[in-house]
Amino acid sequence: MAETRLSVDDLVAPLFVKEGIDEPQPIPSMPGVLQHTQESLRKEVRALADLGVPAVILFGVPATKDARGSGGDAPSGVVQVALKNLRDEVGDRLVLMADNCLDEYTDHGHCGILTADGEVDNDATLERYAAIAVAQAEAGVDVVAPSGMMDGQVGAIRAALDSSGHTDIAILAYAAKYASALYGPFRDAAECAPKFGDRKAYQMDARNAREAITEVALDVAEGADMIMVKPALAYLDVIATVRDAFDLPLAAYHVSGEYSMVQAAAANGWIDGDAVTLEHVTAIRRAGADFVLTYFARQLAERQ
Ligand code: PBG
């Protein structure tokens, strides 16, 4: 009689791949999550495919960073290399998604190109996102996922993909992404904390729910194929509202801080980590998400 079920089909595993390391590196603030080498990433993705996890989303950590985030669209960039390797490894058994943003690649840690005054230049950034999307498409990505919250990013990426012959690459838009303190552990994992300031000029204010509808509507009009709300648990109301208002497939990102809080409390014996994980991810589905990006994807798939 259960109204909501959680299946392995609903899960996307976020994975980090780092350039220039010989061994996978643990991330202290995300126990159980690694910065992968190209080799360990191949093994992990094969294991996920064998468990039936239908998709992964890749985040790259380049060996060197610069002001324009050159590693993001270099053909030899860490994510482009990973995409080619993974296509070799798993063929079409699994959907390959890639995050499209600049913060992992810029030396200042912001999600865009900066003006001389240190402000993010929205329109200059769109050209960089477009170039990253084309580079990822050429490396074999199935779905590009712009996460930078620049105005017009979905339209710019759609136009760049279409005019370069990549009409069949889909866009998963991080449509309603809040400026959240829950991204802290991710910024350790991706080595992308901003060196100054914060992301409040481009990410959303946690006090706003109606604004989510405006943001999602823009991305839908610009050609998004799937939409996302992020983070998840503190925004279940937003997930439910967006579910009611739009018919596109809806994702929710169960983010790093949400993962690490459960892991920390479970490691202390304060909560039953497995039970809480199942409750949390099921609640995200109950609120209306069709699929969930979660660092617990592998554990959940192993337990099914
Ligand atoms: C930005 C990006 C972030 C996350 C995904 N993409 C970090 C940020 O906006 O600061 C966070 C995901 C998580 O916390 O798990 N490229």
Side-chain angles (χ1 to χ4, degrees), residues 99 101 103 147 177 183 186-187 199 203 230 256 295:
D99 190 69
C101 198
D103 58 330
S147 66
K177 174 172 174 179
Y183 307 150
F186 172 96
R187 293 177 188 172
R199 305 208 203 287
Q203 299 181 352
K230 173 184 175 191
S256 58
Y295 302 95

Side-chain angles (χ1 to χ4, degrees), residues 26 33 80 87 137 173 178 184 199 207-208 216 224 258 260 293:
V33 177
Q80 280 69 259
R87 190 60 75 200
Y178 285 88
R199 305 208 203 287
R207 295 168 295 187
N208 292 352
V216 175
E258 304 180 87
S260 297
L293 285 67

Side-chain angles (χ1 to χ4, degrees), residues 14 16 30 59 99-104 109 111 145-148 174 177-180 182-187 190 192-194 199 202-203 230-231 253-259 295:
F16 301 99
M30 297 185 77
F59 295 89
D99 190 69
N100 181 328
C101 198
L102 279 173
D103 58 330
E104 296 97 335
C111 297
S147 66
Y174 286 69
K177 174 172 174 179
Y178 285 88
S180 172
L182 291 160
Y183 307 150
F186 172 96
R187 293 177 188 172
C192 68
R199 305 208 203 287
Y202 38 101
Q203 299 181 352
K230 173 184 175 191
Y253 200 142
H254 182 224
V255 302
S256 58
E258 304 180 87
Y259 171 86
Y295 302 95

Side-chain angles (χ1 to χ4, degrees), residues 31-247:
V33 177
L34 299 169
Q35 289 177 324
H36 283 286
T37 65
Q38 295 288 352
E39 208 36 55
S40 70
L41 183 74
R42 285 173 91 117
K43 286 203 193 102
E44 179 68 15
V45 173
R46 174 172 285 277
L48 288 165
D50 291 344
L51 285 163
V53 173
V56 297
I57 180 163
L58 301 182
F59 295 89
V61 188
T64 56
K65 306 190 183 213
D66 59 24
R68 59 189 296 281
S70 305
D73 60 326
S76 59
V78 61
V79 163
Q80 280 69 259
V81 173
L83 287 166
K84 287 189 197 124
N85 287 340
L86 295 178
R87 190 60 75 200
D88 267 8
E89 186 73 29
V90 293
D92 286 336
R93 289 172 64 208
L94 185 138
V95 172
L96 298 177
M97 303 185 173
D99 190 69
N100 181 328
C101 198
L102 279 173
D103 58 330
E104 296 97 335
Y105 301 96
T106 51
D107 49 12
H108 46 71
H110 276 286
C111 297
I113 299 290
L114 300 184
T115 64
D117 302 336
E119 301 288 340
V120 171
D121 182 336
N122 188 94
D123 293 4
T125 302
L126 297 184
E127 291 174 30
R128 299 291 301 124
Y129 290 176
I132 293 172
V134 172
Q136 292 174 342
E138 264 148 34
V141 83
D142 297 304
V143 179
V144 295
S147 66
M149 289 298 280
M150 296 300 134
D151 293 341
Q153 63 185 14
V154 171
I157 288 171
R158 184 73 269 159
L161 288 172
D162 289 353
S163 64
S164 59
H166 299 294
T167 49
D168 52 349
I169 305 301
I171 299 177
L172 165 59
Y174 286 69
K177 174 172 174 179
Y178 285 88
S180 172
L182 291 160
Y183 307 150
F186 172 96
R187 293 177 188 172
D188 297 338
E191 303 175 10
C192 68
K195 294 278 174 357
F196 62 88
D198 55 41
R199 305 208 203 287
K200 291 185 177 162
Y202 38 101
Q203 299 181 352
M204 288 173 55
D205 186 322
R207 295 168 295 187
N208 292 352
R210 291 191 299 268
E211 187 186 7
I213 298 289
T214 309
E215 287 285 352
V216 175
L218 286 167
D219 285 2
V220 172
E222 288 173 31
D225 299 286
M226 298 165 259
I227 50 183
M228 195 196 306
V229 173
K230 173 184 175 191
L233 293 171
Y235 300 86
L236 293 179
D237 59 326
V238 177
I239 295 173
T241 306
V242 171
R243 172 71 299 157
D244 280 349
F246 298 93
D247 291 331

